[in-house]
Amino acid sequence: AQTVTQSQPEMSVQEAETVTLSCTYDTSESDYYLFWYKQPPSRQMILVIRQEAYKQQNATENRFSVNFQKAAKSFSLKISDSQLGDAAMYFCAYMPGGSYIPTFGRGTSLIVHP
Amino acid sequence: EPEVTQTPSHQVTQMGQEVILRCVPISNHLYFYWYRQILGQKVEFLVSFYNNEISEKSEIFDDQFSVERPDGSNFTLKIRSTKLEDSAMYFCASSEFTGGWENTEAFFGQGTRLTVV
């Protein structure tokens, strides 16, 4: 069974600084996708960034980037130049090849201080 | 931008009552899901639905749960006899099903908070 672990229930960052959210996963698959979703308060989850396991290059979307360490089964999210609007719950998710069903972690609540 | 909508946003029900949670997936999506999140715990997969039938379900999705696509737009989750432990946030999601990996993103609704008292 695949599991996704987010060991940080809550993280804080000062506006304009950088924060890294951790995620590890357990799988025996070699083909899979990894995702970070953001859920602002009372809003729906939206996809922030995704990574295909076969790609060695780390995905980047503007201020969001990942550090994908396949051997270590680690998939951390780095948010640069944090903004107040980044405050949200962040969920890491894993989806194996051949499936359309992501498995989620417990989430990390990100607080951004002005 | 198209989005998944869920109603109601909050539902309070008495233990033993039946509830129906409603979702309108994105119109050209073919793959639908229900997830739930008990407060403070992880988001758990319940069931997926494709081509008018259940595609996969978790062990949580027992006989008290059912899903239906009653018309061309709605996707519902019914809980037949609610229990206190069913209290959770329920998320509906949908995704395109192209047969390839280009559109693997699941789009989520904002959730229905179910409180069983």
Side-chain angles (χ1 to χ4, degrees), chain A residues 12-19 81-84 111-114:
Chain A
S12 292
V13 64
Q14 288 292 133
E15 197 176 3
E17 303 211 330
T18 296
V19 65
D81 186 26
S82 297
Q83 301 175 0
L84 295 177
I111 299 167
V112 181
H113 297 287

Side-chain angles (χ1 to χ4, degrees), chain A residues 3-4 31 33 35 37 39 42-47 50 91 95-106, chain B residues 3-4 31 33 35 37 40-43 45 48 56 91 95-97 99-102 104-106 108-110:
Chain A
T3 58
V4 178
D31 179 27
Y33 278 70
F35 307 87
Y37 278 85
Q39 185 185 28
S42 302
R43 300 289 303 277
Q44 57 261 66
M45 271 194 275
I46 55 173
L47 182 67
R50 71 183 204 179
F91 293 97
M95 187 168 74
S99 170
Y100 277 77
I101 299 169
T103 298
F104 288 85
R106 291 181 181 229
Chain B
E3 59 181 30
V4 176
Y31 210 90
Y33 318 73
Y35 283 81
Q37 185 182 28
Q41 299 188 26
K42 64 181 181 179
V43 177
F45 168 72
S48 62
E56 289 188 51
F91 295 103
S95 68
E96 294 184 65
F97 189 78
W101 291 105
E102 295 77 19
T104 54
E105 177 183 351
F108 284 80
Q110 60 188 79

